[in-house]
Amino acid sequence: MSRVSKAMHVETIRCRRGDKVYTYHLLRQTYREGGKVKHRTLANLSHLPEATVELVRRSLRGEPVGSLSDQLQLHRPRQHGAVAAVVGTMRRLGIDQILSSRSAAWVRVVMAVLAMRILRPASKLGGTLWWTTTTLPELLRLPHAGRDVNDVYQAMDVLLSRQATIEAKLARRHLRPNAVVLYDLTSVYLEGKTCPLARFGHNRDKKRGKKQFCVGLLTNDEGCPVAVEVFPGNVGDPQTLPAQIARIRSRFGIEYVIFVGDRGMVVKARLADLQAVGFGWVTALRAPEIQRLRDQGYFQPGLFDRQGVAEIADPERPGERLVVCYNPLVAEERRQKRQALLAATEQELARLAARVQRRRRKVMTADEIGLAVGQVLGRWKVGKHFRLDIRDGYFAFQRDEASIAREAELDGFYVLRTNVPAERMGPSQVQSTYRSLRQIEQNFRTMKSLLDLRPVYHRLEDRVRAHAFVCMLALYVRWHMERALRPLLEEDPQQSFEGLMQQLETLQRQTVVLAGHTFEKLSEPEPLHLRIFQLLGVPLA
C-alpha cells in the first residue's frame, strides 16, 4: 500500500554526454510505497527560463517570492528591429568585405554610420548619441560603444583613403563590359565659406547666397550606385565628364561601355572624348536643333498622333543615329504649363500697363518701362511669345499666337542621338536607355532629402569628400533594401521605406531581471516584421 504526499519540489538533473552537459528541471512529488520513499515526475520544467524555474522552486519551499510584478524588472530598452534589418542587409551584401578584406574597428564604425544615415540621419555627434539607444553597438561590436565622435572622423579618413579600391570592387560587381553607365551631376550647398571646395555656381538647391560643391554620381543601368566624385561648386556639367571616362577605362578596367548623359552633360567636346576611347553614348538634342530638323522636313510632328518612336537621318551628323520620340502625356503637361506661364505673365504685364497709364505727372520713360518689362519676362521665361509696344508714357502688349503655335507643334517631342549601332540597340532601346536617367535623378533626391547629404557643415575638403562617399554607400545599401521590399511597397501604395523601418522600431530588446536572474529578451515580432526580414533575406536575431 502506498501513501502519497502532497509535498512537491523541483529537482535539477545534470548529465554529461560527450563534451556537453545537459540540464533538466523536473517537478516531482514524493510518496511512500512499501516503506520506501519514491518520487513521481509530474512535469518537465526544462523549457522554462531559469528565473521562472527558480520562482517555482522557492514557492514550493514556502519562501516568500512576492508578486510577479515585484520580481520582474525591465532595463535598457533598445531599438533592435530596424538596425538588425540594416546590419543584416549590409552583411548579406558583404559591405564589410567591400570596405576592407581585414576585420578592423574602423569598418564597424563606418557600418554604424551607414545605418545611422539610413535610419536616423544626423550629424556625426548626433549619430553616436543615437546608436547607443539601439543594439548597434552590440551587433557591430563598436569600440567604446561608439560614443566617441573622434572614432567616426578617424573611420571616415580611412574610408576616404580606400575609396578607389572600394569603388573598383563595386564596379566589378555591378558594371559589365558593353553595359550602360549612367552619370549625372548635382550641387550641394554648404554652411560656411571656408571649405576649399566652396564656390558660387549654378545652384540646383535654390539656396541664394550659399556657396556649394558639386557631386557626380555614376550608376549602372538599373540605378545602382557605383562611384561618386566631388568637384568645386563652380564646375560645369561637361567639365566633370573626362574624369568619369578615365575612371571607367583605367580604374575599373572596362574597355567599352555605353555612356548615358543629359543634353547639358554630353556636349560636342565631350562626345569627342568619348569617341576617342571608343565608348558608346546616348544623349539628347537641344530645342533649337529639334526645331531645325522639323523646319528642314526631317520629321513631321503631325504624323505622331500617339506615342511613338521613329529613327531619322541628318546629313549634318554623320556617324550618328537620331531617334525621334513622342509622348502625349508630356505634350499635355507642357501645354498646360505654357498656358499657366502665359497667363501669369499677362497678369503682371497688365499691372505694369496700368501703372504706366496712371503716371501722368511724371511719365515713365521707355527705358524705365523696358526695365520693368524685362523683370517680368525674366521671371516667367515666355517673353518670346509676346509682342511689345514700348514708348515714353505708353506700354501695350499682346500674345504672338504664331510663335505659340509654332512651339506647341513640338510639345511632347524629344530627339535622342547615339553612336551605338542599330544591331546592338534598336530605337525603342535607345529611348528606354535614355529614360533610365530618371533613376539617377531619384538617387539624388534620396541622397539629399532622406540621407541628409545636405546641408554640409564640414570645413575640411577631405571631410566633405568622405561625407559624400558615406552618403553614396548608404544609398547603395538602401537601394538594395528597397528592391528587396518592393513587393510590400507595391501592395500598399501609401507605404514607404521609411514607414516600414518605423514599424520595425517597435521591435525592441530589453534586459530582464527576474528573481535575481538577468537575461536579454526580444519583444514578440508581428507578422509584418517577419515578412520584412523574410524579403530582406536576413535573420531576425
Side-chain angles (χ1 to χ4, degrees):
M1 180 177 178
S2 63
R3 188 167 54 129
V4 179
S5 170
K6 294 183 179 180
M8 292 181 289
H9 64 279
V10 175
E11 183 175 349
T12 299
I13 301 173
R14 293 181 176 85
C15 59
R16 181 183 295 276
R17 296 178 184 173
D19 296 334
K20 294 184 178 181
V21 176
Y22 297 89
T23 302
Y24 302 94
H25 301 291
L26 305 178
L27 177 63
R28 289 192 159 185
Q29 188 178 44
T30 303
Y31 67 97
R32 187 180 295 274
E33 183 178 2
K36 295 183 179 180
V37 177
K38 295 187 177 181
H39 304 285
R40 177 184 294 115
T41 300
L42 301 179
N44 188 341
L45 307 180
S46 303
H47 64 286
L48 297 177
E50 290 284 345
T52 305
V53 173
E54 185 63 24
L55 273 177
V56 175
R57 189 194 309 274
R58 292 174 60 186
S59 178
L60 293 175
R61 288 176 182 170
E63 298 178 10
V65 295
S67 65
L68 184 59
S69 61
D70 294 335
Q71 298 292 321
L72 181 64
Q73 297 179 1
L74 303 178
H75 299 277
R76 295 187 65 238
R78 284 107 59 212
Q79 294 180 20
H80 177 73
V83 294
V86 174
V87 172
T89 301
M90 286 193 286
R91 286 174 173 158
R92 179 175 63 82
L93 296 173
I95 294 296
D96 52 345
Q97 293 298 312
I98 291 175
L99 297 179
S100 176
S101 58
R102 297 181 180 180
S103 177
W106 74 267
V107 172
R108 299 195 295 274
V109 173
V110 168
M111 292 176 68
V113 173
L114 299 184
M116 178 268 289
R117 283 279 148 211
I118 295 170
L119 297 175
R120 195 66 61 87
S123 66
K124 310 304 183 294
L125 177 59
T128 60
L129 296 175
W130 167 75
W131 69 50
T132 56
T133 67
T134 72
T135 56
L136 263 180
E138 305 157 47
L139 294 174
L140 294 174
R141 296 180 293 110
L142 294 178
H144 313 298
R147 294 187 183 92
D148 192 349
V149 71
N150 290 322
D151 290 341
V152 175
Y153 289 133
Q154 292 172 8
M156 288 175 61
D157 293 341
V158 180
L159 176 69
L160 183 63
S161 68
R162 292 187 52 80
Q163 180 174 355
T165 302
I166 294 169
E167 290 178 343
K169 291 180 180 179
L170 295 177
R172 286 194 296 270
R173 179 181 289 188
H174 297 289
L175 296 183
R176 305 177 307 277
N178 304 325
V180 171
V181 173
L182 309 179
Y183 177 69
D184 204 355
L185 190 80
T186 191
S187 61
V188 180
Y189 70 91
L190 282 152
E191 295 292 348
K193 302 178 181 179
T194 60
C195 176
L197 294 167
R199 298 284 192 281
F200 287 112
H202 174 47
N203 195 310
R204 300 163 179 84
D205 293 331
K206 309 300 181 185
K207 288 285 185 177
R208 293 184 178 181
K210 295 286 187 182
K211 288 188 175 181
Q212 64 182 27
F213 63 95
C214 293
V215 176
L217 183 64
L218 191 74
T219 77
N220 67 2
D221 58 336
E222 296 180 313
C224 178
V226 172
V228 69
E229 189 161 355
V230 173
F231 303 93
N234 59 352
V235 71
D237 291 16
Q239 295 173 272
T240 67
L241 193 53
Q244 309 311 314
I245 297 173
R247 176 182 296 191
I248 296 170
R249 191 67 181 270
S250 59
R251 189 185 300 178
F252 299 162
I254 301 178
E255 293 298 322
Y256 179 83
V257 296
I258 299 172
F259 200 95
V260 184
D262 62 25
R263 64 201 75 190
M265 177 73 65
V266 188
V267 296
K268 184 176 181 180
R270 300 289 79 87
L271 290 180
D273 294 337
L274 289 167
Q275 301 207 151
V277 295
F279 282 4
W281 46 264
V282 177
T283 187
L285 293 181
R286 295 180 181 273
E289 296 171 302
I290 298 176
Q291 292 173 356
R292 178 184 65 81
L293 292 173
R294 186 268 313 272
D295 294 342
Q296 294 179 357
Y298 290 110
F299 76 96
Q300 299 179 27
L303 298 179
F304 291 81
D305 56 348
R306 58 183 181 275
Q307 186 170 354
V309 178
E311 186 167 341
I312 63 175
D314 180 10
E316 296 186 16
R317 301 181 185 277
E320 294 185 19
R321 297 167 55 212
L322 298 182
V323 178
V324 182
C325 307
Y326 175 69
N327 188 328
L329 298 179
V330 174
E332 178 61 21
E333 179 182 343
R334 290 182 179 175
R335 186 192 67 80
Q336 293 181 4
K337 183 178 181 179
R338 183 188 304 104
Q339 291 302 321
L341 292 175
L342 290 171
T345 303
E346 280 183 324
Q347 186 176 11
E348 293 295 324
L349 292 178
R351 289 176 181 173
L352 177 59
R355 181 154 57 96
V356 171
Q357 190 173 10
R358 287 195 303 268
R359 292 272 297 268
R360 292 303 181 187
R361 290 187 178 181
K362 185 179 180 181
V363 298
M364 293 181 66
T365 66
D367 290 341
E368 290 176 325
I369 298 172
L371 182 61
V373 169
Q375 292 176 342
V376 174
L377 300 183
R379 181 180 181 185
W380 303 111
K381 311 295 184 183
V382 288
K384 61 184 177 181
H385 297 319
F386 286 92
R387 293 177 180 174
L388 308 174
D389 187 359
I390 301 175
R391 289 171 279 169
D392 289 343
Y394 180 81
F395 171 59
F397 66 93
Q398 62 178 348
R399 290 190 183 189
D400 188 343
E401 298 295 345
S403 174
I404 296 172
R406 179 178 174 80
E407 183 181 86
E409 278 188 344
L410 295 178
D411 285 350
F413 284 93
Y414 56 100
V415 179
L416 306 178
R417 56 189 299 207
T418 180
N419 68 339
V420 181
E423 57 270 17
R424 175 170 286 179
M425 185 180 288
S428 298
Q429 290 176 298
V430 173
Q431 181 188 39
S432 61
T433 299
Y434 186 78
R435 282 180 176 177
S436 61
L437 278 175
R438 290 179 296 185
Q439 299 173 12
I440 201 169
E441 293 169 357
Q442 177 60 47
N443 282 340
F444 278 140
R445 287 191 289 269
T446 300
M447 288 179 70
K448 288 184 175 184
S449 302
L450 302 178
L451 300 178
D452 272 15
L453 173 62
R454 64 181 183 188
V456 179
Y457 295 90
H458 294 295
R459 293 178 291 107
L460 301 179
E461 179 177 340
D462 281 354
R463 290 283 165 78
V464 172
R465 295 184 184 278
H467 172 73
F469 190 36
V470 163
C471 291
M472 190 219 81
L473 292 174
L475 175 67
Y476 177 83
V477 177
R478 179 187 166 114
W479 185 87
H480 283 88
M481 293 183 72
E482 284 189 298
R483 283 176 65 89
L485 296 175
R486 188 175 295 170
L488 270 178
L489 299 174
E490 290 177 349
E491 287 174 11
D492 183 4
Q494 302 298 321
Q495 189 59 272
S496 66
F497 177 83
E498 285 71 31
L500 294 178
M501 293 301 104
Q502 289 174 3
Q503 290 285 339
L504 287 181
E505 288 182 359
T506 60
L507 265 179
Q508 296 192 346
R509 187 178 293 280
Q510 303 185 52
T511 301
V512 181
V513 179
L514 183 61
H517 295 270
T518 303
F519 57 94
E520 296 290 324
K521 179 65 176 175
L522 180 67
S523 57
E524 193 67 25
E526 300 176 1
L528 178 60
H529 300 154
L530 298 176
R531 179 86 185 281
I532 292 173
F533 277 89
Q534 179 188 15
L535 291 173
L536 291 176
V538 300
L540 173 57

